[in-house]
Amino acid sequence: MKKLVVVAATAGLGMTGLGLIGATSASAATDTSAAFRPASLSWHACQADIVNGAKAYDALGPVKVSTIIQCAELQVPLDYAHPNGQKVTLELTRTPHQGSGPAKGDILVNPGGPGGEGALFGPRVYAQNSAAMQQAYNVIGFDPRGIGFSTPKMTCDEDYSNAPRPAYGTGGAATDAAWLAKTKAYAKACAAKWGPGSKLDLMDHIKTIDSVRDMDTIRKALGNDKLDYYGASYGTYLGQVYATVFPTRVGRMVLDGNVNPKHVWYDAQLDQDRAFDKNIEYYFGWIAKYDNVYHLGNTQQKVHDFFYGLENSLAKKAVSDQGAAVGPDELVDGIQTAAYRRSQAVWHTYAAALSAYKTGDVATFVGTYGVQTTGGSDDNEFAVYNAVQCTDTQWPLSWNKWHADAVRVNRTAPFETWGNVWFNAPCLFWGAKAGKQVKVGQTRDLPKNILMFQATDDAATPYAGALELHKVLKGSHLVVQDGDRTHCIVHRGDKDVDSYFDAYFLNGTLPKQDTVHVPQLGDPTPPASTAKTAASAHSEVVK
C-alpha cells in the first residue's frame, strides 16, 4: 500500500501491476522460471543495519527478534528467459520458530509498495504473531529485486523530494508545466541509470511477474514443495499473481488489504482519490469532536475550511524550520497518513501539529509535516514504485486523458487527486516498455483455500476491489471489518481478526461462511498527554 502509493509522497498504494505472462492461463510447468535452479540458502548472522532495524520490533512481543534473526542472500536471474545470464541478489531474513523439533513451515511475507522493504517486515510479522504462531512457524522476509538490502538498489534522483516542491495545484497551466517537467526529468534520470543500454537493464525486469518468479525461486531455495504466504497491500497482488501463475505451488495464503485485479493500475489511483477524500473528511469530523483539545473548529466543515485555508496559504509561502519545510504538498502527504490508519498515535499527532501551527508553534508543525530542503533523501521506494507500476501494464499516454479524469474526480474529491496524478506522472515518460497483464484467477487448479482480510473503509485498497478479487479467486474466504478505516487489519489489535489468521495457519481452518464480518474496534480518543511525537505516528504506518 504504501499506498497504492507511498505515504511520504501521496497516494500511491503501494500497488502495482503485472507482467509478461500472456492473458491466457499459465502454470509453473510452462513458466520461464522453471528452468532456473537456485543455490541452497546459507543462513548467517545479519549485518548491523538489519539487526538494528529489527530492534524496532523487539518490544512487540516476548521474543527479542533482533537477537534471533538470520540472513541469507539469493541470486536470481535478471531475466528468467535467460537463466544463465545476469543475476541480481535478493536479501532474505529468517526469524526462526521457537518450538522444539522442526518448524511447521516457512511463511514468506511481503509488506506491499511496490517498493516496500520486506527483509525487516519478516521480524515485524513474527514479533506481532501470537505465541502459538511463534512456536510453529519460521517467518521469511525478503527485499524484492531493486529494493532495500537487495543488490543492486535502484535510485534515480535523491534530490527529487526536497521541499518545498511545486504545489500540486488543480490542473492549471503553470502547475501542470512545472510538474510535467519535473516528472519527465525523473523518468529520464531512471532510464539513464537503469534503462536499456545501461550496465544493468533493471527497468525492463522489475515487473510484478519478475518478483512473483522470484518468490517461487525462494520457495525452491527453502526446499519447500508449497509456498505459505502473507501479503499486505500490494503484497496481495503478488499473491494473486502467484496463485494464478503457480497455482499448484500454493500452500496457505493470506491476503490483507486487497488490490482490485481489474484496476491495475491507472484506475486504481482514481479509486483511491475518492476513498482518501472520504476518509480525510471523516478525520476532520473526529478533530471537530475534540475541539476542546485541538481548537481547529467544532464542526467538520470548520476543520475542513481550516485545512484547505492552510494549504492555500502554504502554496503562497512555505513554512521552514531547522532545515525542513512544509509547503502544500508536504501538508497533504503528511496528513494522508491519518486517512490510512485509525490509530490514536497517528490521529492525535497530525491534529496536534495543526493545532500547534494555529498557536504559532512552527517547530512542532514542521517537526511533524516537514521535509528536508537540501541534501536529498533515499528515493529507492519511489523509484521502484514507478518501475513496477509503469511497466506492469500500459498507462494512458495521453496527457489530455489524465488531465480530464483528474479535473472530473477533483470536483468531488479534492484532497489528493492532483497529488496522486503527479506521484504517478513519471509513467507518462517511462523508459521501459509495459508488459501484458496477468488475468488473475484464469488458470487451471486455482487454489480454493485463500483467506482474505479487508476493512470496508480502507482508502488505499478500497473495499469494492476486495469484493472483486473475492469473486475472481473462486473458493476464497473473506474476513471483513465493518466500518474500519485501517489499511490492512491483521495484527492491529483485534483478537477476532487475528483468531481467523491463527486458525488458518495453525490448523488450516477457514471461516465457516464464505464471508464473515467483525466490527471495528472504535475510533481512538486523544491521549491525556499531548507530548506524542511524529515518530510514534510514522512507526505505525503500513507501507
Side-chain angles (χ1 to χ4, degrees):
M1 186 198 340
K2 214 181 196 344
K3 309 169 147 200
L4 278 191
V5 168
V6 180
V7 171
T10 164
L13 153 66
M15 281 185 145
T16 304
L18 211 49
L20 301 172
I21 299 293
T24 56
S25 63
S27 70
T30 60
D31 189 78
T32 57
S33 60
F36 181 68
R37 291 292 177 265
S40 298
L41 294 172
S42 177
W43 297 104
H44 57 81
C46 297
Q47 61 178 280
D49 287 348
I50 294 178
V51 173
N52 290 335
K55 287 180 179 178
Y57 310 122
D58 281 348
L60 296 180
V63 179
K64 289 188 175 181
V65 291
S66 66
T67 65
I68 62 172
I69 188 174
Q70 302 165 329
C71 286
E73 292 71 45
L74 178 64
Q75 283 200 329
V76 298
L78 173 68
D79 181 355
Y80 277 95
H82 300 93
N84 296 319
Q86 287 182 294
K87 303 292 193 298
V88 295
T89 302
L90 308 182
E91 186 66 37
L92 277 62
T93 60
R94 177 172 68 178
T95 314
H97 77 295
Q98 296 299 293
S100 59
K104 186 178 182 68
D106 302 300
I107 301 177
L108 186 69
V109 299
N110 181 273
E117 295 185 11
L120 287 170
F121 189 59
R124 171 179 166 172
V125 171
Y126 184 94
Q128 293 177 317
N129 270 345
S130 66
M133 286 290 290
Q134 290 179 349
Q135 289 286 312
Y137 279 98
N138 303 320
V139 177
I140 310 296
F142 75 106
D143 282 338
R145 54 178 58 202
I147 296 170
F149 294 99
S150 291
T151 54
K153 178 178 179 178
M154 186 178 188
T155 64
C156 302
D157 178 3
E158 293 183 347
D159 292 327
Y160 187 78
S161 65
N162 283 348
R165 291 165 289 153
Y168 290 143
T170 55
T175 53
D176 283 7
W179 271 103
L180 287 170
K182 183 176 176 69
T183 53
K184 184 176 183 179
Y186 189 82
K188 184 177 180 180
C190 290
K193 290 184 177 181
W194 306 104
S198 62
K199 184 177 180 180
L200 186 74
D201 183 11
L202 186 60
M203 281 173 52
D204 275 328
H205 304 287
I206 197 168
K207 301 173 177 68
T208 293
I209 189 62
D210 295 305
S211 288
V212 163
R213 289 169 176 150
D214 289 346
M215 289 164 58
D216 199 57
T217 298
I218 293 171
R219 175 193 62 78
K220 295 176 188 176
L222 289 167
N224 296 332
D225 291 333
K226 302 280 187 178
L227 181 76
D228 292 330
Y229 178 73
Y230 167 66
S233 192
Y234 164 71
T236 69
Y237 191 59
L238 290 173
Q240 299 169 34
V241 177
Y242 186 92
T244 301
V245 178
F246 300 104
T248 63
R249 294 302 186 185
V250 174
R252 293 173 184 173
M253 178 175 285
V254 167
L255 308 179
D256 185 13
N258 295 273
V259 169
N260 187 334
K262 294 190 175 179
H263 284 190
V264 176
W265 291 112
Y266 180 78
D267 288 340
Q269 65 160 338
L270 302 178
D271 295 340
Q272 285 184 326
D273 295 341
R274 301 180 183 94
F276 272 110
D277 195 86
K278 177 181 176 182
N279 275 10
I280 205 67
E281 291 297 333
Y282 185 93
Y283 178 56
F284 291 159
W286 179 86
I287 293 173
K289 181 179 178 180
Y290 297 101
D291 187 49
N292 63 322
V293 177
Y294 303 115
H295 311 292
L296 298 174
N298 59 6
T299 67
Q300 177 180 330
Q301 186 62 46
K302 289 179 180 178
V303 177
H304 169 106
D305 292 344
F306 171 82
F307 176 82
Y308 283 101
L310 176 57
E311 184 181 3
N312 291 335
S313 175
L314 293 173
K316 297 173 183 176
K317 185 178 180 180
V319 175
S320 302
D321 185 69
Q322 299 294 314
V326 183
D329 304 358
E330 292 75 30
L331 178 73
V332 170
D333 292 354
I335 205 169
Q336 186 182 6
T337 306
Y340 260 94
R341 180 158 185 211
R342 173 195 47 75
S343 153
Q344 184 192 72
V346 170
W347 281 22
H348 171 69
T349 296
Y350 288 99
L354 292 179
S355 182
Y357 174 84
K358 188 175 181 180
T359 63
D361 182 358
V362 172
T364 296
F365 176 65
V366 176
T368 300
Y369 287 93
V371 174
Q372 80 291 333
T373 57
T374 60
S377 61
D378 188 350
D379 71 320
N380 178 225
E381 183 171 4
F382 183 66
V384 174
Y385 170 84
N386 281 282
V388 178
Q389 290 260 112
C390 299
T391 60
D392 262 356
T393 188
Q394 184 62 61
W395 286 62
L397 296 178
S398 166
W399 169 242
N400 289 337
K401 175 174 175 55
W402 284 56
H403 188 274
D405 286 343
V407 168
R408 172 175 51 82
V409 174
N410 191 71
R411 293 191 187 106
T412 56
F415 171 60
E416 62 120 45
T417 294
W418 280 98
N420 214 2
V421 167
W422 300 126
F423 193 87
N424 292 282
C427 290
L428 284 163
F429 312 106
W430 204 247
K433 293 182 179 179
K436 294 181 180 179
Q437 184 177 350
V438 173
K439 290 194 174 181
V440 170
Q442 294 194 13
T443 184
R444 297 183 299 275
D445 303 317
L446 184 72
K448 307 295 184 183
N449 67 328
I450 294 174
L451 180 59
M452 300 168 54
F453 291 86
Q454 183 75 32
T456 57
D457 291 289
D458 181 345
T461 51
Y463 183 48
L467 295 178
E468 180 62 38
L469 178 62
H470 183 40
K471 182 168 57 177
V472 168
L473 295 179
K474 296 178 176 60
S476 61
H477 286 67
L478 176 61
V479 178
V480 178
Q481 193 164 36
D482 291 310
D484 200 88
R485 287 171 165 74
T486 296
H487 177 47
C488 305
I489 61 175
V490 172
H491 294 155
R492 296 301 188 192
D494 191 309
K495 293 181 180 179
D496 290 336
V497 169
D498 290 350
S499 67
Y500 286 109
F501 180 86
D502 283 12
Y504 176 67
F505 273 118
L506 293 173
N507 305 311
T509 303
L510 288 162
K512 293 181 180 180
Q513 293 81 34
D514 171 83
T515 302
V516 295
H517 294 261
V518 298
Q520 71 143 311
L521 294 176
D523 290 341
T525 57
S529 169
T530 59
K532 292 284 186 179
T533 64
S536 67
H538 292 157
S539 68
E540 297 197 30
V541 176
V542 174
K543 303 264 179 147

